[in-house]
């Protein structure tokens, strides 16, 4: 029997469901059994779920409060992960997904935030692991930057780096920049993670080189990890 909306509100908390269409939740309860919230950002909520078909535990990310710009960014995030997931190492794997006028969500593995794992290590091991994590991310970003599409992530920070088993993966491509596509960036609003944002992304992100800002943000990420 599918979980009701009332069941979900009690289990997950209304704050994680706020802004998600009731019809979207009803459709998802036919595919998944919701277990618990795993986090929420400015645009989406992430939940741990169990797939009804095979009882496999996975996570799903669902867009909240979908303005046209947010829908477009979420759609672009899915397109990038689908198109380059098998071509670029270190991207968050993506499973079943939906992106149309009303539905905006995708499935991904349950991962461990990098801070969560590194914080359990003694200092010498943490230092070494932090460097290894950043080197892995640098390889991923180098591959992205070197693509013909010249993709930049523009939201590099510890919260968007995860362990998928032993592998380091970068997630959350909601601010991704692809120069050949429509530019959704405004010139008068800073863009990126507040603690790792490059100076040019504060001044005028519309004309800033996202690839260079990724390098700056990755360096700040290393400082935060150690």
């Amino acid at each position: 029997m599918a979980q009701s909306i009332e069941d979900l509100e009690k289990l997950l908390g209304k704050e994680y469901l706020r802004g998600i269409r009731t019809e979207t939740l009803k459709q998802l309860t036919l595919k998944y059994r919701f277990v618990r919230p795993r986090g929420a950002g400015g645009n989406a909520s992430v939940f741990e779920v169990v797939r009804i078909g095979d009882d496999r535990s996975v996570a799903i990310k669902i867009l909240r409060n979908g303005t046209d710009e947010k829908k477009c960014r979420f759609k672009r995030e899915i397109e990038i992960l689908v198109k380059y997931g098998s071509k670029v190492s270190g991207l968050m794997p993506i499973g079943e997904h939906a992106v149309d006028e009303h539905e905006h969500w995708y499935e991904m593995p349950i991962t461990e935030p990098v801070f969560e794992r590194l914080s359990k290590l003694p200092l010498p091991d943490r230092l070494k692991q932090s460097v290894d994590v950043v080197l892995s991310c640098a390889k991923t970003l180098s591959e992205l930057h070197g693509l013909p599409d010249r993709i930049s992530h523009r939201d590099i920070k510890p919260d968007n780096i995860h362990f998928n088993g032993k592998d380091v993966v970068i997630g959350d491509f909601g601010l991704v920049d692809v120069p050949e596509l429509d530019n959704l960036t405004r010139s008068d609003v800073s863009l990126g993670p507040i603690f790792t944002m490059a100076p040019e992304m504060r001044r005028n992100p519309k004309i800033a080189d996202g690839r260079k800002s990724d390098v700056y943000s990755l360096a700040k990420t290393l400082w935060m990890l150690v």
Side-chain angles (χ1 to χ4, degrees):
M1 183 176 178
Q3 293 166 298
S4 68
I5 298 301
E6 292 75 16
D7 291 336
L8 296 181
E9 289 178 346
K10 292 177 183 178
L11 177 67
L12 306 172
K14 291 184 179 181
E15 66 272 21
Y16 288 98
L17 300 176
R18 189 172 294 116
I20 299 176
R21 295 176 64 248
T22 299
E23 189 58 35
T24 296
L25 292 171
K26 288 181 178 178
Q27 291 298 318
L28 287 172
T29 58
L30 301 177
K31 298 174 177 287
Y32 304 99
R33 178 170 57 83
F34 283 76
V35 177
R36 65 185 180 94
R38 289 187 62 87
N43 299 325
S45 293
V46 178
F47 303 95
E48 181 179 334
V49 298
V50 175
R51 294 201 307 214
I52 292 176
D54 58 10
D55 288 332
R56 180 183 173 190
S57 294
V58 294
I60 54 173
K61 181 176 180 179
I62 311 173
L63 180 67
R64 301 193 318 268
N65 300 319
T67 64
D68 288 344
E69 179 184 342
K70 289 180 180 180
K71 288 178 181 178
C72 188
R73 288 192 182 281
F74 200 85
K75 179 175 183 288
R76 191 167 292 180
E77 176 178 5
I78 291 175
E79 290 172 344
I80 292 297
L81 292 174
V82 169
K83 182 176 181 179
Y84 294 109
S86 61
K87 300 176 182 178
V88 175
S89 61
L91 299 187
M92 177 70 75
I94 184 173
E96 187 173 353
H97 55 275
V99 55
D100 56 33
E101 183 180 356
H102 299 297
E103 306 300 318
H104 295 82
W105 61 270
Y106 65 83
E107 177 188 306
M108 56 187 174
I110 293 177
T111 57
E112 184 179 9
V114 64
F115 256 145
E116 189 173 309
R117 181 176 297 188
L118 294 181
S119 65
K120 301 172 185 175
L121 299 176
L123 184 57
D125 292 338
R126 176 172 177 167
L127 290 173
K128 181 182 183 306
Q129 284 288 307
S130 296
V131 172
D132 290 343
V133 164
V134 169
L135 287 174
S136 179
C137 292
K139 181 177 184 299
T140 298
L141 292 174
S142 177
E143 292 179 25
L144 280 175
H145 296 170
L147 291 169
D149 289 337
R150 296 177 291 137
I151 295 171
S152 53
H153 186 279
R154 304 199 300 180
D155 198 14
I156 296 296
K157 58 183 179 181
D159 286 349
N160 289 339
I161 302 171
H162 306 259
F163 284 103
N164 182 25
K166 294 182 178 179
D167 297 329
V168 176
V169 295
I170 299 175
D172 200 339
F173 278 71
L175 297 182
V176 66
D177 182 52
V178 184
E180 299 304 314
L181 299 181
D182 291 340
N183 194 336
L184 301 174
T185 305
R186 294 172 54 181
S187 61
D188 59 340
V189 178
S190 61
L191 183 79
I194 185 170
F195 294 114
T196 60
M197 187 190 306
E200 61 270 24
M201 299 300 283
R202 300 180 190 275
R203 291 191 295 265
N204 190 342
K206 192 177 184 71
I207 64 172
D209 187 336
R211 294 169 295 177
K212 292 180 179 179
S213 69
D214 279 350
V215 174
Y216 180 96
S217 295
L218 186 60
K220 288 290 291 288
T221 294
L222 175 61
W223 178 81
M224 293 175 71
L225 290 178
V226 299

